[in-house]
Amino acid sequence: MPTDAITSSRTPLSDAALTFPPQPTDGGTDGGRADNAGQHTETETVEHELTFGGFRYTCRIARQGRLDTEPIVILGGSSQDRHSWQRHEKWLTPLSSVITVDLPGYGTADFLPAKYGVDFLAAAVRHVVDELRVPRLNLVAACYGGAIGVRFAQHYPHLLQRLMLVGMTTVIPADYAMAMERWDGMIRRGETEPIARELADRFMSPPGTGHVRKKAAVARLVYQQIAAQNPEQLRMSAEHNSRLMRHEWYRPEPAPAIPSLVVTGEHDTLTTPAMGRTMAACLPSARFMTIEETDHLAPVERIADFADLMARFCTDRPLEGLPYATEPEVFGDV
């Protein structure tokens, strides 16, 4: 795997503006590296408890004390939480602070009624940025996080330096929307095993689609995570489905002309490459790529390669000639 994205020649920026609360870390340190002077630099992680609109939520910040690029804020999918991207951090924290968040209604945050939609969640991301005093950021947004990320870009363009969307589409596939109504009833009846099986099958590409790395292991992981949900998590899942059905997924509002990258798994049958290209065409300055030998869960199936792609994009490194992805397709004025 190419690694030149991990060591940057850019002049380090000050990390002093990023606010860190005086709280214990979530385990002290979870790794370290040697900096250019040969000194060992530990990765510091902190948890920041916040409240927005009357709802409590938590963000997680990992850093090594320098910024070669703007802070990287990651918005994961509806089944992910602020810890889901920890395995990517060792490639990212040498370059920048990494911020993940359990927004209201997800992870360990407060329950969020379905009447609050994507606009509210995008405003909650703005609240994170304001509270941490981040002047500009790199936003990586995957799946349901992609819908929030696009709305954030449309409403708060002055805060964005770069935008990367993963498994994002302008429309929820009709068959998925129909299935959500059935899943909603299953969740409310406590039928966790059948819905866990259905969702695992939905996120993974069907047999015969093409080779997907770690497919069996990732499918088991998805199934186990959903099947192991406690009553409160099931309640949140049911409300999430209601939120999807009640609010606009994508709204064709103006988006900022900033460097943007839309990424889809080569064999993604939920948000297909064709859907990804349509999303890229809606952005003024975008490129589109597929990650080879992956489906909708590309960030988990090729962790190191996906982290390398994030690092490259966020530091303006070349995206051409990568052994794990197709050549970038250009949309708009890049």
Side-chain angles (χ1 to χ4, degrees):
M1 182 192 77
T3 58
D4 61 321
I6 307 306
T7 56
S8 172
S9 60
R10 295 177 60 176
T11 302
L13 304 174
S14 171
D15 205 9
L18 188 59
T19 301
F20 283 79
Q23 299 178 18
T25 66
D26 59 351
T29 60
D30 51 10
R33 65 176 177 88
D35 63 18
N36 292 336
Q39 297 177 339
H40 191 70
T41 303
E42 298 289 347
T43 299
E44 177 190 14
T45 58
V46 294
E47 300 269 292
H48 199 165
E49 294 289 333
L50 301 169
T51 301
F52 178 70
F55 299 96
R56 180 195 55 81
Y57 70 98
T58 305
C59 72
R60 179 182 187 274
I61 311 163
R63 70 170 184 177
Q64 292 188 3
R66 62 177 276 162
L67 296 177
D68 287 355
T69 183
E70 291 74 14
I72 301 170
V73 176
I74 303 177
L75 304 177
S78 58
S79 298
Q80 296 179 322
D81 61 24
R82 66 187 185 277
H83 300 294
S84 297
W85 296 81
Q86 282 184 246
R87 296 177 68 186
H88 299 80
E89 287 176 0
K90 67 179 180 180
W91 286 276
L92 301 176
T93 52
L95 302 173
S96 181
S97 298
V98 177
I99 302 168
T100 53
V101 58
D102 284 354
L103 291 172
Y106 302 91
T108 60
D110 283 347
F111 178 85
L112 184 70
K115 68 179 182 179
Y116 294 92
V118 177
D119 291 270
F120 178 86
L121 292 168
V125 177
R126 167 65 188 269
H127 184 253
V128 175
V129 174
D130 287 346
E131 288 294 305
L132 299 182
R133 300 179 186 174
V134 176
R136 292 180 74 85
L137 60 105
N138 296 304
L139 184 59
V140 178
C143 193
Y144 184 69
I148 302 169
V150 170
R151 198 69 53 85
F152 179 89
Q154 292 169 331
H155 290 189
Y156 314 107
H158 61 287
L159 294 173
L160 273 181
Q161 188 69 27
R162 300 173 190 84
L163 174 66
M164 181 173 176
L165 301 174
V166 187
M168 177 56 181
T169 172
T170 58
V171 295
I172 298 176
D175 61 335
Y176 190 85
M178 292 179 60
M180 278 195 299
E181 296 187 21
R182 185 178 72 257
W183 295 336
D184 184 65
M186 294 169 68
I187 292 173
R188 296 183 190 280
R189 291 190 298 270
E191 299 172 7
T192 55
E193 195 282 333
I195 194 171
R197 184 69 62 194
E198 280 198 45
L199 281 171
D201 290 343
R202 177 70 63 160
F203 287 136
M204 312 301 296
S205 60
T209 305
H211 176 65
V212 173
R213 295 196 179 192
K214 302 180 180 178
K215 183 174 183 177
V218 172
R220 286 194 300 271
L221 176 63
V222 172
Y223 170 81
Q224 291 166 359
Q225 287 180 338
I226 297 171
Q229 288 183 329
N230 60 39
E232 180 61 16
Q233 290 171 326
L234 288 171
R235 179 172 174 246
M236 283 188 169
S237 294
E239 203 70 6
H240 167 72
N241 285 346
S242 297
R243 194 178 346 272
L244 283 174
M245 290 183 282
R246 289 178 57 176
H247 299 276
E248 292 174 290
W249 169 263
Y250 169 77
R251 187 184 301 151
E253 296 176 347
I258 58 172
S260 303
L261 176 63
V262 180
V263 180
T264 306
E266 177 187 14
H267 303 301
D268 189 341
T269 53
L270 178 58
T271 55
T272 65
M275 293 176 179
R277 290 185 177 94
T278 299
M279 181 71 251
C282 295
L283 301 173
S285 182
R287 286 171 288 180
F288 172 80
M289 303 174 73
T290 60
I291 308 296
E292 297 177 355
E293 299 182 346
T294 65
D295 52 27
H296 190 65
L297 300 176
V300 182
E301 292 157 350
R302 300 191 72 154
I303 292 174
D305 294 327
F306 192 84
D308 180 72
L309 184 60
M310 284 195 289
R312 287 173 173 274
F313 175 67
C314 291
T315 54
D316 299 324
R317 299 278 174 164
L319 303 182
E320 292 77 16
L322 302 181
Y324 54 79
T326 57
E327 291 298 297
E329 303 172 31
V330 176
F331 291 81
D333 183 16
V334 176

